Amino acid sequence: DAEITQSPRHKITETGRQVTLACHQTWNHNNMFWYRQDLGHGLRLIHYSYGVHDTNKGEVSDGYSVSRSNTEDLPLTLESAASSQTSVYFCASSESPLNTGELFFGEGSRLTVL
Amino acid sequence: DQQVKQNSPSLSVQEGRISILNCDYTNSMFDYFLWYKKYPAEGPTFLISISSIKDKNEDGRFTVFLNKSAKHLSLHIVPSQPGDSAVYFCAASVNAGKSTFGDGTTLTVKP
């Protein structure tokens, strides 16, 4: 079955370290997204991609970067982790061209920055 | 400015009764609206959607109503079951692109 997987599921790091969260999907979807969820908040968009070599900033992109070198993967990098980036991160993908925009989510990666 | 709002952080209903979850939006460009369900320690899963050209979409126990003039949508669950207890997120998109989410409503269905 097609799926979307995130790794690691849990990560503890220190302030200032570089961290990369992996996202791999086998749906062959062109669209991929990274969201973060904080307590009491919904999902806020960090970065997204509509295809290979395409990346776009979301509403909370500061301190994060992504690259899309193939259809299956969209890794999220925190260049210098900050305590404010402690959160649960969700990767998602969706089909294109136009459709309902239904997102398929990974299980999430819980990141703690000490 | 939050474009998608779920003003009720929590809702508690009795098993068998109707659950009504509400969502308001401000961006008139949104043309697709979706509801997601999320259990603890899991990713959100798609529940039901509605296009802006419709005012109602039904799927089993779940019905979504859209009132474009009021920029309001609601999710009805009838009858509610204990397994429906979860966080429900409302989301909206333009041309099926990136989705904007509300803060979620925690639904508790009591046996």
Side-chain angles (χ1 to χ4, degrees):
Chain A
D1 286 341
E3 60 180 3
I4 181 166
T5 55
Q6 295 182 229
S7 62
R9 294 292 312 279
H10 301 273
K11 173 80 175 178
I12 300 174
T13 191
E14 295 177 341
T15 302
R17 299 251 188 188
Q18 183 181 79
V19 176
T20 296
L21 304 179
C23 176
H24 179 81
Q25 54 100 0
T26 58
W27 295 99
N28 201 34
H29 287 164
N30 280 333
N31 304 337
M32 295 185 73
F33 308 85
W34 273 103
Y35 288 88
R36 62 178 284 176
Q37 184 193 12
D38 302 297
L39 194 63
H41 291 280
L43 297 154
R44 292 184 290 173
L45 184 62
I46 306 171
H47 281 286
Y48 59 103
S49 168
Y50 287 148
V52 177
H53 303 309
D54 175 74
T55 60
N56 305 279
K57 293 181 178 181
E59 58 180 311
V60 291
S61 61
D62 287 349
Y64 303 94
S65 64
V66 293
S67 62
R68 187 87 180 273
S69 58
N70 58 52
T71 300
E72 295 81 16
D73 299 287
L74 186 70
L76 177 71
T77 297
L78 288 69
E79 300 294 344
S80 178
S83 57
S84 60
Q85 295 176 308
T86 293
S87 187
V88 180
Y89 292 85
F90 290 100
C91 180
S93 68
S94 70
E95 295 179 16
S96 68
L98 300 181
N99 53 71
T100 66
E102 172 190 345
L103 294 171
F104 295 80
F105 282 90
E107 296 284 295
S109 294
R110 181 176 294 276
L111 176 66
T112 302
V113 183
L114 302 175
Chain B
D1 178 36
Q2 196 168 9
Q3 297 187 63
V4 178
K5 293 182 180 180
Q6 295 176 255
N7 292 316
S8 298
S10 62
L11 174 68
S12 181
V13 299
Q14 208 65 35
E15 180 179 4
R17 299 288 190 120
I18 184 171
S19 295
I20 300 176
L21 295 92
N22 295 302
C23 179
D24 297 295
Y25 63 95
T26 57
N27 187 347
S28 57
M29 296 298 292
F30 287 141
D31 56 3
Y32 251 104
F33 304 89
L34 308 96
W35 286 93
Y36 292 84
K37 179 178 180 180
K38 186 184 180 305
Y39 292 118
E42 295 184 8
T45 56
F46 170 75
L47 191 58
I48 191 169
S49 65
I50 187 167
S51 162
S52 60
I53 64 174
K54 296 185 177 181
D55 56 17
K56 177 183 174 181
N57 188 27
E58 192 172 354
D59 184 3
R61 296 186 297 115
F62 303 91
T63 303
V64 57
F65 295 93
L66 176 62
N67 182 335
K68 284 181 62 179
S69 60
K71 293 190 175 67
H72 176 83
L73 64 154
S74 60
L75 174 68
H76 293 213
I77 306 173
V78 183
S80 301
Q81 300 174 352
D84 295 329
S85 296
V87 179
Y88 289 79
F89 290 103
C90 170
S93 67
V94 178
N95 286 340
K98 59 190 175 85
S99 287
T100 301
F101 284 79
D103 287 346
T105 296
T106 300
L107 173 66
T108 302
V109 180
K110 298 179 178 179

